[in-house]
């Protein structure tokens, strides 16, 4: 049985799943602990990232230059994955904030009206909702929506017309 990281890495590179499993068992505590601290104590996120680390390590084992340095190599992979995840979450939050600001209801629209509109949209069939969202909410042409959704032009026009009528009815407006 292999004991040193160098022996385990050599055996894993030769195709031994058992040797790689021993490497994982030997170093997963360090990797998970590091990730838990880096990710602010989010254990679930740390465990998810740790799984990604070991998958990456398995597919990249040949790139490890110093087999004796497997622990720092694993922590380096962990750091890059955690950093990428943090960046991605920050970017997503920035996009969400920008979207929320851009899609804020116009002045004079009450919270109740906005909630009624959301409920009315949710009640539409999925295809109708997609057509209404693109054509009425986003200002797309029927042709653009047809191309984007892969629906015939006539179907898009019908969905928009029926969807508009249903929204107006649900919101107490007239269909004129």
């Amino acid at each position: 049985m292999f004991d040193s990281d160098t022996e385990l890495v050599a055996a894993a590179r030769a195709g031994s799943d058992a040797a790689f499993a021993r490497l994982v068992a030997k170093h997963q505590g360090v990797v998970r602990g590091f990730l838990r601290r880096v990710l602010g104590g989010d254990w679930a996120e740390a465990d998810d990232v740790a799984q990604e680390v070991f998958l990456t390590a398995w597919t990249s084992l040949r790139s490890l230059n110093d087999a004796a340095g497997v622990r720092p190599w694993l922590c380096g992979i962990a750091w890059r994955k955690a950093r990428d995840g943090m960046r991605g979450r920050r970017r997503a939050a920035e996009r969400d904030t920008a979207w929320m600001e851009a899609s804020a209801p116009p002045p004079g629209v009450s919270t109740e009206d906005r909630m009624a509109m959301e409920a009315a949209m949710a009640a539409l069939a999925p295809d109708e909702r997609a057509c209404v969202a693109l054509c009425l909410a986003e200002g797309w042409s029927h042709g653009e929506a047809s191309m984007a959704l892969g629906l015939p032009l006539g179907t898009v026009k019908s969905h928009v017309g029926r969807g508009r009528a249903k929204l107006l009815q649900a919101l107490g407006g007239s269909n004129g």
Side-chain angles (χ1 to χ4, degrees):
M1 197 47 104
F2 306 110
D3 290 325
S4 75
D5 285 347
T6 304
E7 293 170 320
L8 290 169
V9 167
R13 282 180 173 163
S16 172
D17 293 342
F20 187 75
R22 295 233 9 241
L23 279 170
V24 171
K26 189 173 180 180
H27 297 290
Q28 71 179 333
V30 170
V31 170
R32 280 178 159 60
F34 170 68
L35 287 167
R36 286 174 182 155
R37 286 185 288 283
V38 166
L39 295 170
D42 186 340
W43 286 43
E45 178 71 13
D47 288 346
D48 288 347
V49 174
Q51 286 181 350
E52 291 177 32
V53 167
F54 289 109
L55 284 171
T56 298
W58 175 250
T59 60
S60 306
L61 203 52
R62 298 233 178 264
S63 71
L64 174 60
N65 294 326
D66 177 14
V70 72
R71 184 174 57 185
W73 180 68
L74 289 169
C75 285
I77 294 171
W79 168 242
R80 288 185 293 281
K81 291 209 172 282
R83 185 185 58 206
D84 291 349
M86 290 183 287
R87 284 181 184 154
R89 284 187 297 281
R90 186 184 72 244
R91 287 182 188 132
E94 290 169 358
R95 281 191 307 270
D96 289 349
T97 299
W99 181 83
M100 291 294 286
E101 290 170 357
S103 65
V109 174
S110 70
T111 301
E112 293 81 17
D113 287 345
R114 185 182 50 78
M115 290 173 64
M117 175 61 83
E118 289 174 5
M121 282 289 288
L124 296 177
D127 283 355
E128 266 181 348
R129 188 170 46 245
C131 292
V132 167
L134 290 178
C135 294
L136 299 182
E138 297 296 326
W140 288 31
S141 72
H142 291 141
E144 291 171 322
S146 172
M147 286 176 50
L149 299 174
L151 296 172
L153 180 60
T155 301
V156 170
K157 290 178 179 181
S158 296
H159 283 335
V160 170
R162 279 194 302 271
R164 176 184 298 137
K166 289 176 184 177
L167 291 176
L168 285 171
Q169 183 180 13
L171 298 173
S174 67
N175 193 12

